[in-house]
Amino acid sequence: MQNKAPIRSWLLLTFTLILWGTPAVAVSVSDTQKVPGHAAIAKLIADHLPATTTNHRFDIITPLAVLSSLETCTSIDAHFTRQPQRLAGRTMVELRCTDLAQPTSHYVQINVIATGEYLVASRDLAANHTLQRTDISIQQGDLSQLPRHALLATPNAIAQALGQQLRRSLTQHSVLQANLLSRPNVVNFGDELLIEASGSGFQITRTGEAMDTGAIGDIIRVRLNNKQLLRVEITAAGRARPAQ
């Protein structure tokens, strides 16, 4: 008689591998009124969406049976277990029934699908290129697919990018990222600087030689005429003030 033990073992192993290889499936909620905490989660998401979001929805990943004990709750509080840097993609939410004196936490995984606007290169740009407004375009897409340091299409982000230099070259439609930008140097080693100090009723100016290279806002060393070294903050090309 054929030994069936090896066959049973093989089938068990195959079934286990199939389970491991099956991806998690998002449960899209069609009847939101029947899902405890749905309204609280929706409000939490609406309050934290990226500024340039044009459209969004969310799915509850966690089985809805986990929320069954909240069905009789009239007031549910929702907050993120960890504040997301940019609310798009999967994240965890903690739900609590505030009707109870000692509410129990229910942890729910959600997937936020958010479409929004972000900044991209309008053409191929070389490394060390100083960005101008014509170099920047606005594109719309899935915010969860953006790199971590992507710049969203806000007025502040555009103002931040203008006048900055690229650390590396970019091809057309590449996403602009804050970590790829640097302020251009306006002072080089050996430059003569006008150092201005002012206060209540006085103003003093001196000249010195830059001992470092830097951009506006950088702190560098300057050698004065008497050979003394002074730390200054660059305020413009050829100008600085004593560092605080």
Side-chain angles (χ1 to χ4, degrees), residues 39-73:
I41 295 174
K43 183 179 185 307
L44 179 68
I45 291 172
D47 291 342
H48 291 83
L49 283 171
T52 65
T53 301
T54 56
N55 189 27
H56 81 280
R57 66 179 179 85
F58 71 93
D59 299 322
I60 295 179
I61 308 297
T62 302
L64 300 184
V66 174
L67 305 177
S68 60
S69 62
L70 294 174
E71 290 178 354
T72 59
C73 186

Side-chain angles (χ1 to χ4, degrees), residues 67-126:
L67 305 177
S68 60
S69 62
L70 294 174
E71 290 178 354
T72 59
C73 186
T74 60
S75 178
I76 299 176
D77 175 66
H79 66 270
F80 297 112
T81 57
R82 184 176 181 181
Q83 186 66 37
Q85 179 195 18
R86 184 190 303 123
L87 184 54
R90 293 196 179 194
T91 189
M92 190 71 72
V93 172
E94 180 183 2
L95 298 178
R96 287 192 170 199
C97 178
T98 55
D99 294 348
L100 305 176
Q102 294 182 334
T104 302
S105 295
H106 296 73
Y107 296 97
V108 180
Q109 188 180 39
I110 63 173
N111 185 42
V112 180
I113 300 92
T115 301
E117 296 179 334
Y118 50 91
L119 303 181
V120 298
S122 61
R123 59 190 180 89
D124 293 348
L125 300 172

Side-chain angles (χ1 to χ4, degrees), residues 5-234:
I7 297 177
R8 287 197 298 269
S9 299
W10 181 84
L11 289 174
L12 178 60
L13 176 60
T14 302
F15 180 69
T16 303
L17 290 175
I18 291 174
L19 287 180
W20 284 354
T22 302
V25 179
V27 179
S28 184
V29 180
S30 57
D31 189 355
T32 60
Q33 300 299 321
K34 297 180 181 179
V35 180
H38 187 278
I41 295 174
K43 183 179 185 307
L44 179 68
I45 291 172
D47 291 342
H48 291 83
L49 283 171
T52 65
T53 301
T54 56
N55 189 27
H56 81 280
R57 66 179 179 85
F58 71 93
D59 299 322
I60 295 179
I61 308 297
T62 302
L64 300 184
V66 174
L67 305 177
S68 60
S69 62
L70 294 174
E71 290 178 354
T72 59
C73 186
T74 60
S75 178
I76 299 176
D77 175 66
H79 66 270
F80 297 112
T81 57
R82 184 176 181 181
Q83 186 66 37
Q85 179 195 18
R86 184 190 303 123
L87 184 54
R90 293 196 179 194
T91 189
M92 190 71 72
V93 172
E94 180 183 2
L95 298 178
R96 287 192 170 199
C97 178
T98 55
D99 294 348
L100 305 176
Q102 294 182 334
T104 302
S105 295
H106 296 73
Y107 296 97
V108 180
Q109 188 180 39
I110 63 173
N111 185 42
V112 180
I113 300 92
T115 301
E117 296 179 334
Y118 50 91
L119 303 181
V120 298
S122 61
R123 59 190 180 89
D124 293 348
L125 300 172
N128 299 318
H129 174 76
T130 300
L131 287 175
Q132 302 176 13
R133 185 62 185 89
T134 54
D135 299 323
I136 302 172
S137 294
I138 296 176
Q139 190 165 301
Q140 183 169 277
D142 185 353
L143 298 181
S144 67
Q145 300 301 311
L146 294 181
R148 179 181 178 186
H149 299 285
L151 294 176
L152 299 182
T154 64
N156 286 341
I158 294 174
Q160 173 190 346
L162 293 180
Q164 300 232 39
Q165 289 182 331
L166 293 175
R167 297 181 185 273
R168 63 173 176 82
S169 61
L170 293 178
T171 57
Q172 187 178 21
H173 303 309
S174 293
V175 178
L176 291 183
Q177 303 176 57
N179 61 331
L180 299 182
L181 306 179
S182 62
R183 293 171 297 174
N185 291 328
V186 296
V187 172
N188 296 309
F189 177 86
D191 285 354
E192 182 177 84
L193 287 181
L194 178 65
I195 306 164
E196 302 168 305
S198 60
S200 179
F202 75 91
Q203 183 172 0
I204 301 173
T205 59
R206 301 185 67 175
T207 58
E209 180 185 359
M211 304 302 295
D212 301 296
T213 297
I216 293 175
D218 286 347
I219 306 297
I220 65 170
R221 298 169 302 158
V222 170
R223 184 168 58 194
L224 303 177
N225 294 335
N226 61 4
K227 307 302 181 183
Q228 177 186 358
L229 289 178
L230 178 68
R231 293 176 70 250
V232 300
E233 178 185 351
I234 301 173

